[in-house]
Amino acid sequence: MNVQKLAVIAAVTGLLGGTIAGCSGGGQQNQGGSANTAAPAQEFRINLAAEPPALDSSIATTNPTFTILNAINEGLYRLDKDGKPTPGLAKEMPQISGDGLVYTIALRDGLTWADGTPLKASDFEFAYKRTLDPATKAKYATMMTWIKGGSELNKAKPEEVEAKKAALGIKATGDTTLEITLVKPVAFFTDQLSMPIFFPQKPDFVKAQGDKYGAEATTVIGAGPFKLEKWDHNQQLVMVKNDKYWDAANVKLTKVVVNVVKDSSTGLNLYETNQVDLTELKGDQVTMYKDKPDVAIKNEFVTAYIMFNQNPQYAPFLQNAKVRQALSMAIDKKSMIDIVLGGASVSATGLVPVTMSDGNKGEFRKTAGDTVAAFDAAKAKQLLQEGLQELSLSALPKFKLTADDTDVAKKTVEFIQAQWKQNLGVDIDGEPLPFALRVEKMQNKKDFQALIALWGADYNDPMTFLDMWVSDNASFNYMQYKNKQYDALVASADKEVDAAKRTQMLVDAEKLLMNDMPLAPLYFRTRPYARKTNVQGLILPPMSKEWELKWTYIK
């Protein structure tokens, strides 16, 4: 059943009242009173606010994509409820050499893909080499440059690629043994092996699909707890239990239906009429559900911010630091969170979110302090005037603020639009776009003036928020920020082995970035969900994924 039909059923059910809702039961409630002792159906229905782009682990960059990939495939390790790596396709934790550079990993015996064909260590080798191949244009390839020869392969000329692949520090030394050699010790590398970018790929399948790989339910294959049975684009994804999964005996869910629902009112209506079991709460819904037993909170390593394009062809007036500082300072973030997000989330006091490690046994925000100036309309107006004088302008030209077309994103744009008009006299046009189009415009074309985006951590270290903005990071520096001093600080921190010195370098880097203000942090995201109370074992991870379903079941 597609989302439009579900929405119609939900709306009609809501109008007719609780009788129909009670009778329908949504397939999750036992009927007939105490006489019915049948086990509940192990089917889980979820709302997801955005359609995932292609389900190709080499080119994936978005949370919706990571989330689905994590359900239908698996890496060497999988993160548990405490965010700790546990053996996935690997039989045990890695054997690490004394110098921290060589990881020897044994795979489980008898692993297969969802189609029953053998999964081998060479499937990891193929995937990593494909990701690092410049022709793949993988945005996350930078995370694989920790592997010896990774950077050289990723920058290779076409005629050099095969030689660089042969020299890459990943070798399948047998069908069930993988050896990975790093350029330098990376303390959290085992955690990283749980990320989709490090998932295996089936070589003959990938080659057969060509550029259609990962684009449809029939052109993707995994070795995870579930397999993708159906994909109605921008409507619904249906996953079913993968009986070939190595740990299938401990996967309780037999079916997962993921509805792509952008409108939060529609999403809650589906939830309240028992059409779905999990939906994110937005705006006034957060207040409505406060203190209810079916509220679940997802604390995230995610920061929302406005990027100001530093390519002068798009908005030359946004090249001025005082103008950018004024635009940031003119937004009352606390009011925005209360009005738009229903009080969920925390005002950003820097780029790196609260509770994230500083890499030296402390919390980065406590170590760095506040690096973003608080709301101050008068000071913002003064900064704008100073910036306009430096630009020889009497007023700031109108520009576009691009964002997703979800309900919350559109309301966020409207709030900022009103704040800039009220506090600075600045007029802008909002540009809401479907998620995939916004990502395309931001990532591939870098075609925007100002754009609202969110970044979620890939690992629990401030570097995941700070190395994005170095001048030569073409994969993620969408705003095309350039500062040699910033580049030097990040590069030095990347090489520093003294934890305290490294932390200070990262603190200094964030302070410099926030003074230049090529991006204006808005909030550290906390997301409340409405979750049926009979849903057990669901994990809402702080980073990379919307949810983890392996251990979920219906009570």
Side-chain angles (χ1 to χ4, degrees):
M1 184 177 291
N2 67 31
V3 174
Q4 279 94 342
K5 289 181 180 178
L6 279 173
V8 170
I9 292 171
V12 172
T13 303
L15 288 170
L16 294 179
T19 304
I20 292 179
C23 292
S24 69
Q28 297 288 354
Q29 298 176 1
N30 291 334
Q31 304 299 318
S34 60
N36 189 341
T37 58
Q42 292 299 317
E43 297 183 6
F44 189 40
R45 304 154 305 170
I46 313 168
N47 287 338
L48 187 63
E51 161 93 348
L55 295 171
D56 178 347
S57 56
S58 285
I59 61 173
T61 61
T62 69
N63 269 17
T65 311
F66 291 153
T67 302
I68 302 299
L69 283 170
N70 187 65
I72 64 175
N73 206 352
E74 187 164 79
L76 295 161
Y77 303 96
R78 182 175 288 268
L79 300 184
D80 65 14
K81 63 181 178 62
D82 299 314
K84 304 297 184 185
T86 59
L89 298 181
K91 180 166 62 175
E92 58 196 9
M93 300 307 287
Q95 295 179 13
I96 306 173
S97 61
D99 59 6
L101 297 180
V102 181
Y103 286 61
T104 304
I105 302 168
L107 271 61
R108 297 179 185 276
D109 294 326
L111 291 175
T112 70
W113 291 97
D115 64 359
T117 55
L119 187 154
K120 303 176 182 179
S122 57
D123 297 340
F124 285 92
E125 184 177 345
F126 168 81
Y128 295 10
K129 288 178 177 179
R130 176 174 177 263
T131 298
L132 284 164
D133 190 325
T136 305
K137 299 179 180 179
K139 301 290 186 182
Y140 266 92
T142 52
M143 288 177 60
M144 282 195 172
T145 57
W146 294 324
I147 298 174
K148 185 178 179 180
S151 181
E152 290 81 357
L153 171 54
N154 195 230
K155 296 176 181 177
K157 296 176 181 178
E159 65 272 17
E160 300 173 334
V161 168
E162 291 308 314
K164 298 299 184 184
K165 283 184 178 181
L168 186 66
I170 178 165
K171 306 293 179 188
T173 59
D175 285 349
T176 59
T177 306
L178 195 65
E179 185 179 280
I180 304 173
T181 303
L182 305 183
V183 175
K184 62 179 182 181
V186 178
F188 45 81
F189 188 67
T190 302
D191 298 47
Q192 287 310 95
L193 292 174
S194 69
M195 286 281 294
I197 192 80
F198 291 98
F199 284 3
Q201 295 172 10
K202 188 179 178 186
D204 57 347
F205 186 88
V206 173
K207 293 173 184 176
Q209 304 310 320
D211 59 5
K212 300 297 183 184
Y213 175 60
E216 304 291 343
T218 55
T219 64
V220 63
I221 191 170
F226 305 93
K227 54 187 179 181
L228 188 60
E229 183 179 66
K230 186 175 75 168
W231 187 358
D232 293 333
H233 288 282
N234 293 302
Q235 291 291 317
Q236 192 177 77
L237 298 93
V238 178
M239 298 181 288
V240 295
K241 181 176 177 176
N242 176 16
D243 291 331
K244 301 292 194 297
Y245 179 54
W246 69 268
D247 199 25
N250 290 311
V251 176
K252 305 303 181 186
L253 293 177
T254 58
K255 185 176 182 180
V256 178
V257 178
V258 181
N259 299 310
V260 180
V261 180
K262 297 177 182 178
D263 182 72
S264 57
S265 296
T266 301
L268 185 58
N269 203 9
L270 291 170
Y271 177 82
E272 291 184 335
T273 54
N274 287 324
Q275 303 301 311
V276 298
D277 308 299
L278 181 75
T279 192
E280 187 177 354
L281 298 171
K282 304 284 186 73
D284 293 341
Q285 298 171 351
V286 178
T287 305
M288 288 167 49
Y289 269 73
K290 187 178 181 181
D291 300 325
K292 286 191 175 184
D294 50 345
V295 169
I297 302 298
K298 179 177 170 69
N299 295 307
E300 298 186 307
F301 294 155
V302 173
T303 302
Y305 46 79
I306 304 170
M307 288 189 289
F308 302 112
N309 200 330
Q310 295 305 286
N311 184 334
Q313 78 176 72
Y314 291 101
F317 46 87
L318 293 178
Q319 301 289 294
N320 186 277
K322 288 181 179 177
V323 168
R324 299 192 298 268
Q325 291 166 0
L327 291 170
S328 174
M329 200 179 295
I331 302 169
D332 185 346
K333 302 181 188 73
K334 178 64 168 64
S335 293
M336 182 183 71
I337 290 167
D338 290 341
I339 294 169
V340 178
L341 304 177
S345 298
V346 178
S347 296
T349 53
L351 177 60
V352 179
V354 290
T355 74
M356 174 160 272
S357 169
D358 66 359
N360 189 33
K361 300 180 181 179
E363 290 185 20
F364 187 85
R365 282 273 54 90
K366 292 179 180 179
T367 303
D370 294 353
T371 58
V372 172
F375 168 65
D376 187 332
K379 177 65 174 174
K381 187 173 291 187
Q382 178 186 335
L383 281 168
L384 179 61
Q385 290 307 310
E386 292 174 5
L388 289 174
Q389 287 177 6
E390 292 175 4
L391 292 167
S392 299
L393 293 174
S394 59
L396 203 64
K398 181 179 281 192
F399 61 96
K400 287 183 180 179
L401 179 59
T402 305
D404 290 337
D405 63 352
T406 62
D407 185 46
V408 167
K410 288 189 284 189
K411 288 179 179 177
T412 301
V413 170
E414 290 168 3
F415 182 90
I416 293 170
Q417 192 173 26
Q419 288 276 288
W420 284 346
K421 178 64 174 177
Q422 175 183 330
N423 298 325
L424 297 175
V426 170
D427 288 309
I428 66 164
D429 290 325
E431 186 183 36
L433 297 174
F435 179 76
L437 183 56
R438 192 269 297 169
V439 170
E440 167 72 13
K441 198 176 179 77
M442 175 185 74
Q443 288 186 355
N444 298 332
K445 297 181 178 179
K446 298 180 176 64
D447 176 18
F448 63 90
Q449 293 179 302
L451 182 144
I452 297 176
L454 296 97
W455 180 258
D458 297 315
Y459 47 93
N460 189 5
D461 186 271
M463 187 64 86
T464 189
F465 279 89
L466 297 173
D467 65 358
M468 300 165 63
W469 316 116
V470 295
S471 300
D472 63 353
N473 191 341
S475 295
F476 294 105
N477 188 2
Y478 310 128
M479 60 195 180
Q480 303 175 74
Y481 171 65
K482 292 179 173 61
N483 184 308
K484 291 181 179 179
Q485 185 182 353
Y486 182 82
D487 295 348
L489 280 168
V490 173
S492 297
D494 190 45
K495 298 173 183 175
E496 183 57 62
V497 294
D498 184 296
K501 290 180 180 178
R502 177 179 181 273
T503 295
Q504 188 56 53
M505 290 172 183
L506 293 175
V507 168
D508 292 344
E510 191 197 59
K511 288 180 177 178
L512 177 58
L513 185 69
M514 293 297 92
N515 185 63
D516 281 353
M517 199 59 70
L519 56 81
L522 297 172
Y523 56 85
F524 303 138
R525 190 169 69 177
T526 298
R527 296 164 65 190
Y529 284 77
R531 178 194 61 193
K532 298 295 184 183
T533 55
N534 62 342
V535 174
Q536 303 291 306
L538 176 69
I539 298 173
L540 299 173
M543 55 186 177
S544 300
K545 300 177 289 292
E546 300 293 321
W547 18 259
E548 165 65 72
L549 300 179
K550 177 182 175 178
W551 298 284
T552 304
Y553 64 97
I554 308 300
K555 187 174 179 180

